[in-house]
């Protein structure tokens, strides 16, 4: 079991190093977009809201409250939160392996109270070259509230890395499909 935790710590550290290196890279010449894997059938075909605009929700499209999380650690809760964010952003998830050069990488801490409300956001590494991405990530997190209530933790602060493609689609490091 200790080997599993050591491997996960190594993965987290390497993700942080990649994020730092991406932030230090000079701006490359534009390249043609690589082909993406087809979107799964259960993903709705509705277009995403333009960057910076919150999609309008009606009663018919509102999502039911999330099931409570039984996580006993922030790391376990992170997986529940990532799944929750994916369920609220189905049309914004990049399917398949991400391209080698991402538009932005951000590391965000999210504080969630015992009822699943977002009570704070704190950037550990903000993609300052892309303020529109910062605003969109924050909007997406707040729009997905309430999160699964951390019933066994009471309240939780979890950290995840946002991997942002030029298309406006993203993956979270917790659920990433990898990178080319």
């Amino acid at each position: 079991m200790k080997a599993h935790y050591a491997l996960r710590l190594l993965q987290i550290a390497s993700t942080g190093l990649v994020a730092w290196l991406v932030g230090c890279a000079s701006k490359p010449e534009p390249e043609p977009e690589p082909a993406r894997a087809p979107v799964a059938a259960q993903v709705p075909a509705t277009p995403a809201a333009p960057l910076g605009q919150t999609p309008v929700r009606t009663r018919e499209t509102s999502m039911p409250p999330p099931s409570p999380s039984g996580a006993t650690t922030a790391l376990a809760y992170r997986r529940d939160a990532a799944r929750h964010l994916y369920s609220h952003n189905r049309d914004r998830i990049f399917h398949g392996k991400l391209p080698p050069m991402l538009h932005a990488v951000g590391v965000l801490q999210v504080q969630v109270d015992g009822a699943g409300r977002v009570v704070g956001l704190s950037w550990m590494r903000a993609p300052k070259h892309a303020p529109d991405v910062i605003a969109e990530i924050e909007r997406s997190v707040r729009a997905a509230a309430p999160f699964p209530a951390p019933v066994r933790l009471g309240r939780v602060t979890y950290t995840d890395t946002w991997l942002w493609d030029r298309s406006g689609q993203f993956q979270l490091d917790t659920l990433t499909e990898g990178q080319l």
Side-chain angles (χ1 to χ4, degrees), residues 20-31 101-103 129 166:
W20 179 76
L21 289 173
V22 168
C24 294
S26 61
K27 193 169 186 177
E29 292 295 317
E31 295 180 14
M101 291 299 293
L102 296 172
H103 176 59
H129 68 285
R166 293 184 195 289

Side-chain angles (χ1 to χ4, degrees), residues 73-139:
T73 66
L75 190 59
Y77 184 83
R78 181 172 86 167
R79 182 167 297 282
D80 292 341
R83 287 185 188 123
H84 179 74
L85 281 162
Y86 271 39
S87 73
H88 279 265
N89 292 282
R90 285 191 172 111
D91 55 339
R92 303 286 305 279
I93 305 305
F94 188 100
H95 295 277
K97 291 189 180 281
L98 289 161
M101 291 299 293
L102 296 172
H103 176 59
V105 175
V107 181
L108 182 67
Q109 279 188 333
V110 180
Q111 295 92 35
V112 178
D113 72 7
R117 293 181 297 247
V118 174
V119 294
L121 300 175
S122 175
W123 285 99
M124 295 181 71
R125 183 192 181 281
K128 292 181 182 172
H129 68 285
D132 55 322
V133 172
I134 293 172
E136 190 60 20
I137 289 171
E138 290 178 359
R139 187 209 59 78

